[in-house]
């Protein structure tokens, strides 16, 4: 089936969608994005993603292409037109095109670019990968210093995934100044003696929408949480580990740098948090 996508005000078949070669998203990665999951045909935590998008835009002095209500309508229409029951909606806002290449930002009245498309992922909630758990490797974090802004500068995370793949693993956790920052496209956690440990929010990591929800649900379930810096060696000695993201929810991690965690299968806390997250987030999906 040809997807219907949204490009700058129009719903089009993906084969007919076009953007300018001068779009700054294309030339300079001068763009921000969001990925919102869809379960049962409804959007998970749309509000959280919309608020983070506003923040990314304002940190980069980029204009919003439309209102939050209009964005919701576009998300919903794409989900409907493409018959998505389980999957993702990708959204990208760019600084638009000034009709040429220039490092200086284009004039104030330049129209921002807006692109959205869906990804159909049947079985996203009941994923075999989550039942198996992920193997991760550690790599150096050489990304820029504003990882709290969700920009489309994804070359290094993409290279990180490839390094993992070449090493026979599924993903990479990044390390800066001896401490784990986050995964290539997710936030990172380990559990030791019943305590969930994750890095505190700062400019060093993306402020995950799933992270926020999962930490709230963990606290409600009386689980202990410590937001602090941690090393990869601490994580390797953990009872279990996991990651969170809109595209994989709570994903158990069963191996770090070749070291199996616990018995090498998904841990009880990760499994429980995945169940709670899926159950609770579907209830409030819109
Ligand atoms: N990635 N950290 C990084 C570097 C990310 O790219 C992501 C999300 C997260 C988790 O954020 P959230 O819970 O809001 O999805 C953390 C998305 C899913 C992606 O790039 O596809």
């Amino acid at each position: 089936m040809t997807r219907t996508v949204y490009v700058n005000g129009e719903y089009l078949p993906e084969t007919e969608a076009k953007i300018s070669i001068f779009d700054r998203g294309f030339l300079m990665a001068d763009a921000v994005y969001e990925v919102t999951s869809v379960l049962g045909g409804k959007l998970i935590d749309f509000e959280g993603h919309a608020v983070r998008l506003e923040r990314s835009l304002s940190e980069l002095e980029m204009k919003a292409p439309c209102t939050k209500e209009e964005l919701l309508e576009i998300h919903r229409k794409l989900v409907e037109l493409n018959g998505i029951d389980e999957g993702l909606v990708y959204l990208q806002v760019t600084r638009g095109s000034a009709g040429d290449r220039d490092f200086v930002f284009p004039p104030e009245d330049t129209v921002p670019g807006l692109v959205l498309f869906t990804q159909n992922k049947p079985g996203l909630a009941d994923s075999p990968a989550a039942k198996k758990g992920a193997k991760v490797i550690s790599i150096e974090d050489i990304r820029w210093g504003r990882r709290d802004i969700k920009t489309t500068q994804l070359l290094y995370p993409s290279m990180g995934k490839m390094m993992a793949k070449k090493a026979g693993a599924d993903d990479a956790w990044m390390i800066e100044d001896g401490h784990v920052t986050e995964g290539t496209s997710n936030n990172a956690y380990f559990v030791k003696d019943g305590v969930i440990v994750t890095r505190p929010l700062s400019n060093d990591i993306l402020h995950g929408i799933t992270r926020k929800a999962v930490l709230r649900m963990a606290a409600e379930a009386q689980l202990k949480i410590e937001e602090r810096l941690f090393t990869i060696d601490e994580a390797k000695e953990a009872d279990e580990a996991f990651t969170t993201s809109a595209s994989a929810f709570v994903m158990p991690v069963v191996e770090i740098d070749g070291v199996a965690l616990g018995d090498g299968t998904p841990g009880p806390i990760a499994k429980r948090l995945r169940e709670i997250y899926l159950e609770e987030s579907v209830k409030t999906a819109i």
Side-chain angles (χ1 to χ4, degrees):
M1 191 180 102
T2 310
R3 257 183 296 201
T4 300
V5 303
Y6 177 95
V7 182
N8 297 329
E10 286 186 286
Y11 293 90
L12 297 165
E14 64 184 54
T15 46
E16 285 169 34
K18 289 190 180 71
I19 59 153
S20 164
I21 62 159
F22 300 116
D23 189 284
R24 288 181 59 95
F26 175 62
L27 292 179
M28 313 239 166
D30 190 356
V32 297
Y33 77 106
E34 282 297 331
V35 176
T36 304
S37 49
V38 178
L39 290 176
K42 289 186 171 173
L43 301 160
I44 304 295
D45 217 335
F46 174 80
E47 179 66 21
H49 290 282
V51 168
R52 185 172 62 190
L53 175 68
E54 276 171 19
R55 181 177 179 277
S56 293
L57 291 169
S58 92
E59 289 298 304
L60 296 174
E61 295 173 29
M62 216 185 264
K63 258 190 298 191
C66 59
T67 65
K68 201 198 287 181
E69 291 68 34
E70 285 165 335
L71 278 185
L72 176 59
E73 201 187 307
I74 302 167
H75 275 76
R76 282 178 160 161
K77 191 157 173 192
L78 282 183
V79 168
E80 193 194 315
L81 289 173
N82 293 292
I84 307 294
D85 180 50
E86 291 193 6
L88 305 169
V89 181
Y90 176 86
L91 167 157
Q92 179 168 329
V93 180
T94 83
R95 206 182 296 275
S97 157
D100 203 353
R101 180 174 183 268
D102 192 343
F103 281 81
V104 172
F105 288 176
E108 273 294 302
D109 59 353
T110 305
V111 181
L114 177 62
V115 170
L116 285 95
F117 58 82
T118 53
Q119 291 182 289
N120 192 24
K121 294 198 182 281
L124 186 65
D126 194 26
S127 130
K131 290 196 180 80
K132 224 172 106 205
K135 295 179 181 178
V136 304
I137 58 164
S138 59
I139 60 172
E140 199 189 337
D141 196 339
I142 58 166
R143 296 172 301 160
W144 79 324
R146 290 302 306 275
R147 302 159 194 154
D148 56 311
I149 308 173
K150 199 163 171 60
T151 75
T152 59
Q153 300 174 64
L154 296 176
L155 183 54
Y156 188 66
S158 181
M159 288 167 74
K161 281 258 200 247
M162 292 312 295
M163 289 183 232
K165 220 174 152 183
K166 281 180 196 149
D170 305 295
D171 201 1
W173 282 12
M174 294 177 279
I175 299 177
E176 186 174 58
D177 299 332
H179 296 113
V180 174
T181 52
E182 58 188 334
T184 57
S185 60
N186 43 57
N187 292 114
Y189 311 73
F190 73 85
V191 183
K192 183 76 180 171
D193 300 328
V195 182
I196 301 166
V197 178
T198 195
R199 190 179 177 104
L201 296 181
S202 70
N203 290 354
D204 301 333
I205 60 168
L206 186 75
H207 300 189
I209 302 304
T210 322
R211 177 190 187 278
K212 189 174 177 187
V214 166
L215 289 183
R216 177 173 47 78
M217 290 167 196
E220 282 165 8
Q222 315 297 328
L223 295 168
K224 285 197 201 101
I225 301 156
E226 266 179 32
E227 291 183 65
R228 62 165 174 86
L229 298 183
F230 64 94
T231 65
I232 197 76
D233 286 340
E234 274 184 276
K236 280 184 207 167
E237 283 160 17
D239 302 323
E240 54 174 298
F242 61 93
T243 60
T244 61
S245 68
S247 52
F249 313 120
V250 177
M251 174 61 70
V253 168
V254 295
E255 195 180 294
I256 303 174
D257 288 335
V259 177
L261 304 184
D263 65 0
T265 64
I269 291 184
K271 282 201 286 195
R272 192 166 151 216
L273 285 175
R274 184 177 174 92
E275 276 169 27
I276 297 175
Y277 178 77
L278 286 170
E279 207 183 299
E280 291 299 312
S281 58
V282 165
K283 279 189 207 157
T284 52
I286 58 169

